[in-house]
Amino acid sequence: MLEIKNLHASVEGEDEQILKGVNLTINKGEIHAIMGPNGSGKSTLAKVVSGHPEYEVTEGEILFEGEDVTELDADERAHLGMFLAFQYPIEVPGITNRTLLRESYNTIARENDREELDPLEFDDYLKERLEVIDMKDEFLERSINTGFSGGEKKKNEVFQMAVLNPKLAFMDETDSGLDIDALKIVSDGINKIAGPENAIVLITHYQRLLNYITPDYVHVMMNGKIVKSAGKELALELEDQGYEQLEKEFSVNGEAQ
Amino acid sequence: MSVAVKEKETILNFLDGDFGTVSNIPTIAGVNEKGAGNISEFPFPKKKDEDWRFTDLRSISRNHFVPVADAGAEPVGDISKHYLPEAKNSRLVFVNGEFNTELSSTEDIPEEVIVGNMAAYGDNEILQKHLGKYTNYDQDQDVFAALNDANFKDGTFIYVPKETKVEAPIHILNIFTDAQKAFYATPRVLFVGEAYSKATIVEEHIALVENEYLNVTVNEFKLFEGAHVHHARIQRDSKKANHISRPLAHLDKYAEYHSYTICLGAKLFRNDPRVVQNDEEVDFTIDGLVLIDGEQIADTHSAIDHRHWHAKSHQLHKVVVNDNAHSIFNGKIFVREDSQKIDSFQENRNLLLSENGTVNTKPQLEIFSDDVLCSHGATIGHLNEDEVFYLHSRGLTKKKARELLVYAFTLESIETMEVESVHKLLLEEVVKYTSRDEEFVAVGKD
Ligand SMILES: Nc1ncnc2c1ncn2[C@@H]1O[C@H](COP(=O)(O)OP(=O)(O)OP(=O)(O)O)[C@@H](O)[C@H]1O
Ligand SMILES: [Mg+2]
């Protein structure tokens, strides 16, 4: 579904590379976890994949379902079925969740020659999707993330994903800042959404999320590269040992510096 | 005529007119005479005048305006699409400043209330007592208020007796038609609300085509004890027109006056709202919403005068500027020495959509008392690119994302509209403004 080949990226207009040759293949039906120390480039990878204009791809390519999307605008990637749950979902005062979601849902439907939903149909659909994440419907009337608690913002990202039903979702630290109940609700929601036709990439610092969602693969990112990939046991290993061992290994090899 | 005033530039340099003729109604004639004296005396504003520093008046000074009668103005035709369903029979229509009986309808106005044209109420004691008594623009040698004083022979007269509520909104519809020559018009309003009366006014200025004219309005609103007014002012003048507006409210004890000025049209709009607190415990609003683009100039110079104890004042002035448009805001707030327990809010928020737009903003507080809660602020910003990206990443085009964000910026101002159809009309105007065919000139990264 997603194939990232030798991806290099920098902040637009600057020389310094943040991503330094990322390779990653994700197939339908898979759940991947990406871990790694602060500043290693995880969020940058997610944003570059979603088409954030702040970054420039200097080398390599991103293929989505066989199509090269490296140069596509963010909205076009969304139309294809790509989704990013932001690490720091921003507040957008004045635009309600409902307004955004109806606009998003119908735009994506239109672009894919699917039928748009009228306001009443859409309301019913929203009500049903609210259940995935156990959110109260009063959140629909509130401005996007405005005044939401940290945890509510994260839940709202998952809710948007539940509504838009993307083929591929990057979820950037959606577990951070959640209390234990919220973590269960959010993981539950993600598990409900995950299926054989879509794929999910969880960026996380914590093994505890992976107690609830079982990844097929765990990758470690360091200094702009994926330095190690393995099964879910890797997360446990990292929890035990931290990144130190890996860091040594890779700076010795001269790879990470 | 211009020979006589050669050495000093006055507004008479830019217009024709016989200001020796006064109304045959003594009350109006008195104001006309005073105005005629003033217009030949008061100097036309210059850049070096503090109150006109940023305002480009060339759309007036490079033009020449004639009286409506000499302009070859088109007849008005059918304007029913501009009627408000809520004000079907509580409407006064003025065409190029002149009252139009056929298009006006006041059947829904209770008998004891007056909603009519001044010229029909020449003998009315209330008109005689109040007309021209509250405007204080002369103290600043205001040439435009003087022009209105000198020229108006008619206008809107509204009187709401004690403890009376006018249910239907009163619609003052100023229509401007096409004409062969640029002309000037001087709409005038006198509103008198007796104790504990209540009324809603919708004052509109609409051009049927994009022609040149000079619309100079003076409003006097006198609210007696506990009187309550909601005043929506919608300015959709021609984008080649000049609109100079002098609305003043004079408030007695417990009076509540809430006005909302929406600026969409005019090449040059200069609005100087003033509120005079004439007694304790008043509560008022002079909000504004400005949506301009192209070469438009919208200038608000407001003055709030707190003269007594206990006042609550609110001024939210929101501005969106695109292309080469220019917004100016100068908000004076006076709190006199004897005026305590004042709660005054003022905020000017500007959203710049283009690189070439200009915003000048200056809150100006002059506080001579100590027990005052005065919050004021001004911001100028572009659209937040993170917000644009957030929406964009959810599948909205950048254009749509920006439209939604501008729409969101304006909503707060529009939601204050009490009259449903006005609310709806403004939402449509905002959509029209935000969804022009071209992309917004890119600001920030693309
Ligand atoms: N827009 C930007 N401008 C400048 N530097 C940036 C920008 N975006 C990312 N970086 C830098 O790139 C590096 C990677 O950042 P990124 O946010 O991708 O890390 P991360 O792995 O997500 O970290 P964390 O675990 O703390 O979220 C950091 O050094 C960061 O400062
Ligand atoms: Mg991150």
Side-chain angles (χ1 to χ4, degrees):
Chain A
M1 173 171 281
L2 181 75
E3 229 182 313
I4 298 175
K5 293 186 193 163
N6 191 31
L7 188 66
H8 288 69
S10 60
V11 171
E12 172 84 36
E14 287 184 22
D15 292 335
E16 204 185 313
Q17 303 273 310
I18 302 175
L19 301 183
K20 301 172 182 171
V22 176
N23 289 294
L24 181 64
T25 300
I26 293 165
N27 297 309
K28 260 191 347 192
E30 292 176 351
I31 295 178
H32 291 238
I34 299 179
M35 305 181 81
N38 293 125
S40 56
K42 304 180 299 294
S43 293
T44 304
L45 176 64
K47 286 195 247 177
V48 169
V49 169
S50 74
H52 200 294
E54 209 161 77
Y55 304 95
E56 185 181 8
V57 172
T58 52
E59 211 184 317
E61 58 184 3
I62 306 165
L63 302 176
F64 183 70
E65 298 190 309
E67 180 183 350
D68 186 351
V69 298
T70 321
E71 297 297 322
L72 292 187
D73 270 357
D75 59 334
E76 297 168 307
R77 300 186 202 206
H79 303 159
L80 293 175
M82 300 168 75
F83 180 89
L84 168 62
F86 289 84
Q87 180 174 1
Y88 304 108
I90 56 156
E91 304 193 354
V92 190
I95 302 175
T96 62
N97 265 331
R98 182 199 300 279
T99 303
L100 169 65
L101 285 170
R102 197 167 80 221
E103 198 64 43
S104 295
Y105 183 92
N106 281 335
T107 307
I108 294 171
R110 201 159 55 236
E111 293 294 330
N112 288 282
D113 296 323
R114 286 198 307 265
E115 211 169 312
E116 297 180 38
L117 296 181
D118 68 34
L120 287 178
E121 292 169 330
F122 191 69
D123 261 12
D124 291 343
Y125 175 65
L126 280 184
K127 292 243 162 65
E128 171 208 316
R129 299 315 274 166
L130 277 168
E131 283 167 21
V132 173
I133 189 77
D134 195 25
M135 237 162 81
K136 294 204 191 79
D137 56 4
E138 66 202 40
F139 276 93
L140 298 175
E141 304 316 325
R142 286 178 57 181
S143 288
I144 303 164
N145 296 328
T146 309
F148 287 26
S149 72
E152 285 168 346
K153 285 181 185 171
K154 298 299 176 86
K155 276 175 81 171
N156 199 27
E157 295 290 291
V158 181
F159 173 57
Q160 292 181 22
M161 172 176 157
V163 172
L164 300 179
N165 209 4
K167 293 179 186 159
L168 171 74
F170 267 73
M171 316 207 67
D172 194 356
E173 297 200 24
T174 304
D175 56 328
S176 297
L178 297 182
D179 64 34
I180 183 66
D181 293 328
L183 181 67
K184 276 189 197 147
I185 292 169
V186 162
S187 331
D188 248 24
I190 295 174
N191 282 327
K192 278 183 213 158
I193 297 166
E197 292 305 316
N198 58 25
I200 290 170
V201 182
L202 304 164
I203 294 172
T204 180
H205 286 289
Y206 305 105
Q207 151 66 24
R208 64 170 194 159
L209 172 69
L210 307 179
N211 289 337
Y212 297 99
I213 305 174
T214 316
D216 301 293
Y217 299 95
V218 175
H219 310 276
V220 180
M221 193 153 181
M222 266 186 195
N223 197 19
K225 279 179 134 180
I226 289 178
V227 297
K228 189 163 185 177
S229 300
K232 64 172 194 261
E233 66 288 350
L234 178 56
L236 288 166
E237 228 172 84
L238 290 171
E239 179 104 321
D240 265 10
Q241 300 166 7
Y243 296 112
E244 244 172 71
Q245 187 55 37
L246 276 170
E247 251 159 20
K248 270 193 219 134
E249 209 175 301
F250 284 93
S251 54
V252 168
N253 292 344
E255 294 258 358
Q257 288 309 308
Chain B
M1 153 160 306
S2 57
V3 178
V5 291
K6 205 68 190 185
E7 68 282 7
K8 188 161 63 184
E9 196 173 61
T10 71
I11 197 165
L12 296 175
N13 294 36
F14 315 120
L15 46 87
D16 290 346
D18 177 7
F19 297 104
T21 359
V22 295
S23 166
N24 52 18
I25 295 162
T27 310
I28 298 178
V31 181
N32 291 161
E33 277 160 18
K34 179 193 73 163
N38 287 340
I39 45 170
S40 55
E41 278 301 311
F42 294 170
F44 193 74
K46 293 190 181 56
K47 280 262 178 229
K48 68 175 184 7
D49 300 338
E50 187 55 34
D51 280 343
W52 296 93
R53 269 175 69 198
F54 299 110
T55 318
D56 187 346
L57 285 169
R58 281 177 301 180
S59 55
I60 295 175
S61 63
R62 289 196 174 166
N63 210 330
H64 198 84
F65 302 92
V66 301
V68 175
D70 303 336
E74 293 286 325
V76 60
D78 181 10
I79 52 160
S80 54
K81 69 169 179 181
H82 297 301
Y83 298 167
L84 303 174
E86 297 89 340
K88 247 194 327 233
N89 295 307
S90 52
R91 175 183 62 249
L92 298 177
V93 176
F94 292 82
V95 177
N96 302 327
E98 288 168 1
F99 182 64
N100 187 306
T101 317
E102 287 82 63
L103 302 179
S104 302
S105 168
T106 55
E107 280 159 41
D108 286 351
I109 300 297
E111 212 172 307
E112 65 278 18
V113 175
I114 297 173
V115 172
N117 61 312
M118 284 178 191
Y121 289 88
D123 300 333
N124 186 283
E125 277 176 24
I126 296 146
L127 183 82
Q128 289 168 0
K129 192 164 156 209
H130 295 283
L131 183 68
K133 297 298 188 299
Y134 304 102
T135 71
N136 61 13
Y137 297 94
D138 288 352
Q139 70 195 27
D140 304 310
Q141 300 218 320
D142 186 312
V143 296
F144 297 104
L147 173 62
N148 183 289
D149 280 349
N151 189 60
F152 83 97
K153 302 290 180 290
D154 203 349
T156 299
F157 175 42
I158 300 172
Y159 171 73
V160 188
K162 202 171 157 193
E163 289 167 18
T164 304
K165 180 179 178 199
V166 185
E167 295 289 345
I170 299 165
H171 190 194
I172 306 171
L173 183 53
N174 292 286
I175 295 284
F176 296 90
T177 67
D178 202 1
Q180 276 150 27
K181 291 184 183 165
F183 60 86
Y184 59 93
T186 52
R188 179 92 177 198
V189 178
L190 173 67
F191 174 96
V192 179
E194 293 281 10
Y196 301 97
S197 63
K198 196 164 181 208
T200 295
I201 315 286
V202 179
E203 172 194 346
E204 280 200 280
H205 299 262
I206 298 174
L208 300 182
V209 297
E210 299 285 299
N211 58 328
E212 293 180 341
Y213 57 86
L214 171 62
N215 175 11
V216 179
T217 66
V218 171
N219 286 352
E220 292 180 276
F221 276 64
K222 172 64 194 177
L223 277 68
F224 285 97
E225 181 175 318
H228 195 304
V229 168
H230 174 98
H231 187 186
R233 312 179 63 222
I234 323 289
Q235 186 270 95
R236 291 191 283 161
D237 279 290
S238 143
K239 289 202 177 168
K240 289 184 185 155
N242 304 278
H243 182 158
I244 313 288
S245 168
R246 271 80 182 91
L248 181 137
H250 198 265
L251 309 183
D252 281 3
K253 198 168 185 167
Y254 304 130
E256 270 194 52
Y257 175 75
H258 300 290
S259 85
Y260 308 89
T261 303
I262 315 290
C263 165
L264 300 161
K267 162 73 176 95
L268 167 68
F269 181 52
R270 167 69 181 242
N271 183 33
D272 288 28
R274 293 185 176 178
V275 179
V276 175
Q277 183 195 357
N278 196 44
D279 205 337
E280 297 177 2
E281 306 260 12
V282 301
D283 181 347
F284 60 91
T285 307
I286 44 169
D287 282 3
L289 174 67
V290 172
L291 302 181
I292 48 175
D293 58 15
E295 305 293 325
Q296 288 182 281
I297 304 167
D299 176 357
T300 294
H301 268 65
S302 58
I304 290 173
D305 192 0
H306 297 101
R307 296 183 180 175
H308 297 271
W309 280 55
H310 293 286
K312 194 161 165 253
S313 67
H314 185 279
Q315 183 175 28
L316 174 64
H317 191 72
K318 281 192 156 189
V319 177
V320 188
V321 168
N322 203 354
D323 306 327
N324 300 318
H326 182 183
S327 166
I328 302 147
F329 176 75
N330 187 104
K332 287 195 188 85
I333 297 180
F334 301 102
V335 181
R336 308 275 177 127
E337 215 171 322
D338 303 329
S339 177
Q340 303 285 356
K341 306 273 180 207
I342 300 300
D343 179 356
S344 176
F345 166 88
Q346 181 188 71
E347 192 175 308
N348 171 218
R349 290 180 58 195
N350 297 279
L351 180 57
L352 258 173
L353 298 178
S354 64
E355 298 290 0
N356 296 330
T358 308
V359 170
N360 301 110
T361 175
K362 183 178 168 200
Q364 191 179 332
L365 309 183
E366 298 188 19
I367 297 174
F368 303 99
S369 111
D370 44 30
D371 193 357
V372 171
L373 193 68
C374 236
S375 81
H376 65 98
T379 58
I380 305 175
H382 294 301
L383 280 180
N384 179 328
E385 284 303 314
D386 288 332
E387 294 179 10
V388 175
F389 182 71
Y390 192 87
L391 306 181
H392 189 48
S393 78
R394 296 296 181 250
L396 279 57
T397 61
K398 250 179 227 166
K399 181 168 185 282
K400 186 75 206 178
R402 290 183 180 135
E403 277 170 33
L404 267 184
L405 290 167
V406 175
Y407 185 83
F409 178 84
T410 62
L411 265 191
E412 190 182 356
S413 305
I414 288 172
E415 273 164 1
T416 52
M417 291 296 144
E418 263 179 16
V419 180
E420 188 50 41
S421 64
V422 174
H423 186 248
K424 203 168 138 252
L425 177 130
L426 289 178
L427 288 179
E428 286 164 14
E429 286 290 338
V430 172
V431 171
K432 235 193 265 171
Y433 176 83
T434 58
S435 59
R436 302 192 317 193
D437 287 341
E438 324 93 271
E439 282 267 349
F440 287 124
V441 178
V443 171
K445 287 200 200 80
D446 234 14

